Amino acid sequence: RLTELLDQGSLLINRRELNKAYEIFTQIIAADPNWSEAWNKRALVLYLMNRYQSSLDDIKITLILEPRHFGALSGQALNYIELKQYEKAIQSYKAAQKIYPTLDSAKKMIPELQEFIKDQAI
């Protein structure tokens, strides 16, 4: 049942029905607070709603439950970018890369962020 709800919530994300998706993932978390993927999906919804700090809060729980969740680490980096916390974003991407060395987003974004930080310092 919870897996079906997770799939339904993911479909709602694709349809951009974010409030409904948020409600479904919250329902799943209430039923099984130890399911890291429910927290991660809700974090994604919060990110898409521009609620970056709330997204980071859910990602923190995701990573407590599943420390090797490289998707959550990548999402964490995206939130940090939106919050203009570029050094933290780099650290999140590096942590994701340690788990998944061929992660394309990390390969691309780490040098871009480093260059951006360098340009900001000038």
Side-chain angles (χ1 to χ4, degrees):
R1 165 121 171 88
L2 292 181
T3 302
E4 290 171 15
L5 280 176
L6 193 81
D7 292 342
Q8 184 182 352
S10 297
L11 186 62
L12 289 167
I13 291 172
N14 291 337
R15 291 184 189 156
R16 290 303 220 219
E17 295 181 44
L18 300 178
N19 289 322
K20 289 180 183 177
Y22 178 85
E23 289 172 17
I24 285 179
F25 296 128
T26 300
Q27 183 183 343
I28 296 168
I29 289 165
D32 184 357
N34 293 316
W35 193 8
S36 63
E37 196 54 31
W39 288 99
N40 188 59
K41 290 284 190 180
R42 193 172 78 170
L44 170 60
V45 171
L46 290 164
Y47 172 80
L48 294 171
M49 296 169 104
N50 302 323
R51 294 175 55 191
Y52 306 119
Q53 189 56 56
S54 295
S55 179
L56 285 169
D57 294 342
D58 277 12
I59 289 169
K60 182 177 181 180
I61 296 167
T62 302
L63 292 171
I64 288 168
L65 295 170
E66 179 49 71
R68 297 184 50 79
H69 199 303
F70 62 86
L73 289 163
S74 293
Q76 185 178 58
L78 292 173
N79 279 287
Y80 283 139
I81 290 168
E82 293 296 335
L83 295 169
K84 298 180 177 16
Q85 297 178 21
Y86 304 116
E87 289 289 348
K88 286 184 176 182
I90 291 169
Q91 295 312 310
S92 295
Y93 277 129
K94 285 182 176 180
Q97 226 174 11
K98 283 182 183 170
I99 298 161
Y100 185 23
T102 59
L103 185 65
D104 288 336
S105 59
K107 283 185 194 178
K108 177 181 183 278
M109 291 303 298
I110 291 170
E112 284 186 24
L113 288 166
Q114 289 169 331
E115 189 65 29
F116 183 77
I117 291 167
K118 192 171 90 177
D119 291 346
Q120 293 276 309
I122 296 174

